[in-house]
Amino acid sequence: MKLKLLLLLMVFVPIGLMAQGPITGTVTSSGDGAPLPGASVIIKGTTTGTTTDFDGNYKLNSVTSDATLVISFIGFITIEVPVNGQSRIDAVLQEDAQQLDEVVLTGYSAERKIDLTGAVTVVDIAPIEGQSLSSGNAMQALQGRVGGLFIEKSGDPTGLSSRILIRGLTTLGNNDPLYVIDGVPTKRQEVFASLNPATIESIQVLKDASASSIYGSRAANGVIVVTTKGGEKGERLSVSFNSNLSQQSERKQRYDMLNSQQRGEALWRASVNDGADPNAGYGEIYNFNWNNDFSNPVLNGVSVQPFVGGDSNVPVGDTNWQDELYKTGYVYNNELTVSTGTEKSSLLINLGYLKNTGMLKYTGYDRYTAKINGTTKLFNDKVKFGVNTQISTSNETLVSGDVGGAPTTGLSITLAPTIPVYDANDEFAGPLGAGYSDRNNPLLMQYLNRWDNATKNNFFGNVFAEINILDNLTFRSSLGLDFSDFKKKNIEPKVFNGFVTRSNNRLIYDTNKFSTISFSNTLNYKLELGKHRFGALLGIESIREDFDTIFAQADEFAVEQESYFVLSAATGARTNNGISTQYSLASQFGKLNYAYDDKYLASFTIRRDGSSRFGANNRYGIFPAATVGWRISQEEFLKDSNLISNLKIRAGYGEVGNQEIGNTARYGLYESRYGQNQAQLTGGFFEIYYNVGTAYDINGNNTGTLPSGFVSTQASNQNLKWETTKEWNYGIDFGFLENRISGSFDYFTRETTDILTTPPIASVIGEGQQRVLNGAATSAKGWELNVGYSNTWDNGFSLGVSTNFGAFKDEITFLPEEVRAAFPGTAQNSILGQSQTAIFGYRTNGLFQSQAEVDAHPTGGVQTGNARPGGIKIVDTDNNGIIDSNDRDFIGNTLPDLEYGIRLDVGYKNFDLSIFGSGVAGRIGVDSYMFWNNFVQGRDNAGLGVLNAWTPQNTSSNIPSLSLVNNFTDTSDYIFRNNSYFKIRNMQVGYSLPADVISKMAGMTGLRIYLQGENLFWFTPKGYIGSDPERIDVNRIPVPTVYSVGLNINF
Amino acid sequence: MKYNHKIIASVICATLLLTACSDNYLEYEPEGVLSSENVATAENAESLVIAAYAGIANDEMIGPLTHQWVFGSVRSDDAYKGGGGRGDVDVIDKYEQYNLTIADMGDWMAPRTWTDFYKAISRANFALSVINDIPDGEYAQKTTRQAELRFLRAHSHFMLKLIFKKIPYITENLTQEEIGQMSNDVDNDALWNTIAEDFLFAYENLPQAQEQVGRADRNAAAAYLAKLRLFQAYEQNDQHQVTSINTGRLQEVIDYADKVIGNLQPDFGENFLDGFDNGPESIWAAQFSINDGTTVGRVSFVTGLNSPHGTGLYGCCGFHLASQNMVNSFKTDANGLPLFDTFNNSDIFTNIDTNGTTPPDSGLSVDPRIDHTVGIPGRPFKYRNTVNDSGDMVYNFSWARDPGVYGYFGNMKEQQAPDCSCYVKEGPFVGTSKNVDFIRYADVLLWKAEALIQLNRWDEALPLINQVRNRAAASTQRPIDAGAADIYAISPYSSFPSKDYALKALMFERRLEFAMEGHRWYDLVRWGIAEETLNAYLAEEKTKRDFLANAQFTAGRDEYYPIPQREIDFTGGLYVQNPGY
C-alpha cells in the first residue's frame, strides 16, 4: 500500500525542488469524507509538528522539500507522505479496521491489542457512549456484552448490581472481580458504578489467570481494567453535554394477586379441603355461605365482613398493595465534560448529577460525581506528572421494613387485600382481629421511614509521575487512594397500626470509614532489535486497607420531627459499638514480553504477594504465568489472503491467589461481649433477640452495670495459606473478509485448591471454635465465543452484528469429610462432582388424580401431608417404597450453562438504531411467584393461580388442591424450575443533526437526540409462571422497564 | 547520562528497601480482641465465671434454654402452639402434632437449643481449665468457682438429657479432638451418674448460700440432686418405657430435698411478678436485667412470641395458649378438690358474650391458680383491670389471635403488665427482666412428696402437697382486687386413702402448680404415662380443636426429640439417633 503510494508520487511529482516553505492541507476520513480535527502532522525524524484544527486544516512552516510528513489519528492507519516540494498536501486517512496499533492497558503496561495472548476482552466503548444509563451504573452498559461476564441487576434506586461474575464461580466465598481504575485497584463495585461512561477511555476484562496473574492476589475472580480519559491533545477546548430523562415502571414485573372477594373463595376452598370450618378460621374477615358438607363442598357465596376486626372505624378494603406502594419513577441524568490541552498539558473535568425518584414510594437516590484528570510534561517532556480523581457523593432512601422487619416490597405482594390503606379517619389502617398476619401496612412503613437515608462519599484516584529515563525506559510511580465515608441514619418512630405497634422510638446511626492506600512503582523497558521486540516490566506495590466502624443508637425522643432526631436529644437508653481493622499487601512483580516479526508472541509474568492475613510461614505466595501466541495471518502463505485477514492462536497458563478472608482469620480470638445480640454480629431477624453477651446480673439487682467476661469467637489456624487458582486458556482470534467478520474463541480449564472456607463444626466443640481452613478444591471449564460482522455500504448504510456466548461448568472436586455436611447432599449422595450452585431436592411427578393413585404411591416423610387427591406426587428416587429425605437428588444448578448476547447496529445517514438482547440458558431457580400463585398461605394473600387449583372437577390443573396446612414448598423441581430467559434489554433510535445544520450553531460539532427503551420484552420457558426471571427475590425492587429520551451535544 | 544512572540506582534501592521492609509492613495485630494467652489468666478467672453464667441464659426465641414452653408445655396436654395458624413457626406444630418423623428438621428450636447448651458448656469448661491451673494459694475462691462451674455444666447437660436423652458429656480435660470423638451412645443410668458427679462436687464444695444471689449454691445443688435422682429413679429401657422404679434413688430424693432450705412465697402470683426475684421460693434461676447498658437490656425474650396478640398493650404473636383440657383441670368439686377423672367431662368458660367475655357458668368453682396461669375472657389479666388509662387489662376474646384454630385462652405466667419497669418491647416482641426460675421450692416439696408416695409413705406426702395447696388457697386477693368474680374453692386433702389416690393427687397437683411453666412434658415422660395421657387427651381435644385431628403420640419415639441431623453429620455419623427417627 505504502509502496504503491510512493510509486504514484514518484511518477507524478517533479523531483529536485529542495526549497523550504510552508505547507498547508486538510486531513479527512476516507469513510465519510469528514474532516479530522486533532490529527497529528509531524515531520518525520523530528519532533516538529502540529495538529489539525476543527476543520481538519493544518499549517506547517518551513518544511524542506525532501521531508516526509507522518500523519496520524487514533483509529486510523498512519500514513507517510513525502513533501516533494508541494505546498499543499491533503491527506485521506483510512480507518484502521485491524486497529493494528491500538494500545490497551493490561497490567501495569500498555500492549498493542494485536499482541495480546491472554483471554482479554477489550470492550467496545463506542456503543456505550451516549447511552442512557438509567441506573446510573456503568456496569449496566456491560451486561450481556462481554462473553463470560455475568451480571445480575436489581431495581434498587442506587442501581447497584446484585452479582458480578467473570467466568462463573472460582471459589466458595467472595467471587467479586477486581477493578483496576487508572492503575488503582479496588474491590468496590460502587467506584466503577459511579464512573460516567463519557470519561471512560477503555475497559479491558481480563478473564483468565494468565492475563490477570500480574495482579496476583485478589485477581482470582478476574480483573476489570479501566482507563479514564485524559484531556484533549492540542490547543483545543472540547465540551460535551449528555442529558437524559428516563421513566421507570415495574408494572410488567408485578405479580397478579387476588382481590378481597377472590381471597375469600381461595380460603374457603383451602379450609374445606383441610376439613376445617372456614368460618372458624376466617369468620372475622369473611362470611362463607356454603353447604357445610366436607365430602361434597359447595360455596353458595362469600361476602367480606364490613369492618376489619369488627372496628367500625376501619371499613374493609379491596387493596392492591402493589398499586399503592409503587409509582412511576424518573431518572434525571446530566453530565458535562470539559476537556482541553496543550502540547505539554491536558485537563479533563467531568461533572455529573443523577437523580432517581424511585419507584417504591418514599425511596430515592441522588448522586453528584466529579472527575478531574490532568497531566503535564516537564523537563523536555522527559517527566510527566498527572492526577486522576473520581469523587462522588450520594444520598439514598431505600426499602424499609415493618415493625417485625419484613420489607415493604414483599408486603406489597403478601398483605391481605381486605386491609384498607386508610381508615375512616384518614389514618393508615392496619391488621385488626383474627385471621391477619402480624405485618404492618407497608405504605405506612415507607412513609414513617421517609427520613431514613444513607450518604456515601467516595474519593478515588491517584497521583503519578512518569519519567522517561531513556528513550525506551520508563519509570512510573503512582500513589492511589480509595476512600469511602458511609453514614446511615435510621429513624424508627413509634408505630400504631392495628395490633402491630411499636411503643418506643429510636435513632440508629451506622457509620464506617474505609480507606485503601496503594503505592506502586514500575519500570518499563522496550527494545526493538531487528525483528525482535522485547518489553520488560519490573514493579513493586504495597496496599494498605483500613476499616473503622462506629455504631450508635439512642432511644426515646420527645418529639417526632426529622430535625429532632439527633443522638443528643434522646432521653432513653444508649448503645454504641465499633471496630477497627486493617490489612496490607506487599508485592513484587515482573513481566517479559517478546515478539518475533509480529508473528510469534510470548509473555511471562511472575508476582510475589505477601499478605498480613497469613502467618509468617505462609505469608508469601508466588504466582507465575506464561502465554504464547502465533499470528498465522502474518505468515507469507496467508498474508495476501482475501479471505483471512486476521488469524491468531493463543495458549496460556497462569496462577492467581486469593486471600479473601477476615483480616484476623488466622488468630484464636476472644472478645468481651458485654451485651451483644447475635444480629449485631451476623444480622438476622430472630437474632436480635438472641443475647450472646458475657455480662450477667450475678448480684440479682435487675439493673445497673453488670459484671462481664470474655468469650472465644474464633479458633486459631496458624497454618492458613493462600488459596491458589491454576488456569489453562486456549484461544483463537480471527478476522475474515477485511475483518468484516471477526471474533475470538477461548476455551479454559481451571482448578482452585486450598480454598479458604469456614466450615461449620459439631456443636460439642463449643462456642466460637469455628476457624478458617484451606479446605476445598473446585474445578471449572468453559468457553467463550465472540463473533461480529460489520460493514458500511457506499450508500451510507451500515450494519453491525455482534454476538457473544459464554459457557461455564464448575464442580466441587474435594471437600474434607467434616465440611461436607455444610453443603447440600447426603453422605451417600454428596455434592462432590456437582456445581457449588447445585440444588438438592425432591423430584415430583405431577398431581395425584384419585385416592386410588394415592394409595398405590409410596408415602412417608414430606409425602405424608401431600398424599391426597390433588396433592403433589413425590418421586421415590431410591425405589425403596418410602418417601424420605434420601429421595432427594441434585436437580440442577442456579448458574446458567450458557450466557449469550446479541447486538444489532444499523446506521443510515443521520439515523442510528441499535437493538441489544441477552439471555441465559440451562439453569434452574426459584420461581418466587410459585409460593403465592400455587399455594394458599393462610395469612398471606395468594396469586390468581389458586383459583384454578386442582379440584375433583378441575383435574387438568398443575396447581395442587388448596390447603392451609399441607403445602409442599420443600426444595424440589416443583419450586425450582427452568428460569432461562432471553431479554431485549435495550433498543435505541438516534438522530444526529447533519453537519451543515449544526455548523451554523456556534462551534457545535455534534448534536444527537435519541429514544431508548430498556428491559422491554423477555421470553421464558414453558412452566415458568413468574414475571421477570431476573426477579429472584421478592424483597428486592424489581428491575424496571425504562423509557428514556436523551441528548448528546459536543462543541 | 550519569544523571539517569543515579535515578536507576535510587529506584532499585527503593525497590530493595521496600522489599526488605515488607515483612514489617505486613505485621498486623488484631484490634479490640484478645488472644487465648491474654484471656487465660488468673486475673480473668472471675470474669470467665460470669461469662459461663451468661451462657445458660443466652436464650434464643427459636432455641430456648431457660423457659421450656416449646418442649415442655406445647408438646404436652397443657397448651397449644398458638400463633397465626399451624404454619406459623411450623416446627412447633410438628412437635405438637408428634409429626416430627425425620431427623432433618431444619434449624429452629431443638437443633439450636442443642447448640446453645453446648456453647454454655464450653464457657464453663474454658473457665474451669483456666481456674484449674491457678495455684490454690493465689485464688481464694478457687474451689467455690470450680464447684459453680461444674454446677453450670451439669445444669446444661441435664436439660439436654431431658430433651434428647442420648448426649455426649463434655468436660474441661478433653482436647478438641477428643470432644470430636465423644459418642452420645452411653448407658442411660451411667449418664445420670456422670451428671450427678458434677452436682455432687458442687454440693460438697459450695457454701449454703452465696452473697451474690445469682450464683449457684449448696441449696441449689441439693435441689438439683433431688431432681436428678427422681428422674433417674424411673428407669427406662431403650424404647423410653419405664421398666422399674429404683427405691434407693427415691430415698436420695428425700435426703437431698431435706437439705434444701426454702419457703413458698406467701402469694402464688409473686413467683410470676416483677419485684419478687430471688425470693425464698426461688432455689435456682436465670437472672435477667434491664437498663443495664446493653441495647435493650439483658432481658428474657424466650417467651417473646407469647404476648397476647390482639391488644395494642402487648406485641406479637399469641403463641403458647392454654388448652381447653388444662383450663378444665382447674375445676374443683364441692370440697375444693380437683376432679381427677371427670374434670374434662364438660368445658368451662365457653359461652362468649358479645362484649368478648366468657362469664362463668353458675355453680362453677375453680382452683384460684387458674387466674395466675390462664388469660380468660372477662377476667383481669396479670391482676389488673387497666393500664394507666391507656388500655383495658381485662382479658378479652379479641386478644386472641386465631380463635378459630387455637381457641381464645391465653398464657399469663410469663407475661408482665406493659407498664412494668421490667417490660421492654423491641420490634414486635416483648422481653422482661423477670428471672426465669429453674427450680421453685414448691417443686422440691412435690419431688419429695412423689418419692415418699412411690416409697409407700403417702401419709408423709400429704402435708407437703397440702402446703402447696394452702398457699394456692391464700392466693386469691390479687385477682379479686382487680375485679375477678370470686368463684374460687380450694381445700387441702384431708387424707390419702391409697397410694394410687395419693399418686393421682400428686400428679394433678404438679399439673396445676406448674401449669404452662414447661415441666409437664418431662413429668409425663418420667412417670412413663406420656402415651396413655396424651392419646387420651388428643382423642377428646381434637373434637374441640380441628387442628389436632391427625395428631397421634407414638410410644418409643415421641418421648424424646431426634438428635439434630447436622450434629450427626458434623461428627461423621458418630452419634446414634433416637429410635423411630
Side-chain angles (χ1 to χ4, degrees), chain A residues 146-150 165-168 207 783-784 804-807 899:
Chain A
V146 178
L149 177 66
F150 176 69
L165 300 174
I166 295 175
R167 280 192 171 171
K207 293 185 284 197
W783 53 264
E784 287 125 23
N804 68 75
F805 303 86
E899 308 147 26

Side-chain angles (χ1 to χ4, degrees), chain A residues 66 90 104 142 187-188 208 240 242 313 364 522 589-590 625 657 727 784 906 1007 1028:
Chain A
D66 62 343
D90 292 336
V104 294
L142 298 187
K187 281 229 140 185
R188 298 195 306 131
D208 78 322
S240 78
N242 296 318
N313 275 324
T522 52
F589 49 87
E727 185 167 359
E784 287 125 23
V906 183
L1007 193 158
D1028 184 348

Side-chain angles (χ1 to χ4, degrees), chain A residues 39 110 195 237 239 265 394 414 440 560 562 602 634 691 917 982 984:
Chain A
L195 286 171
L237 175 73
V239 179
E265 291 164 23
S394 66
T414 61
N440 292 104
E560 291 198 341
E562 185 180 12
Q634 292 297 103
N691 192 306
F982 176 73
I984 300 296

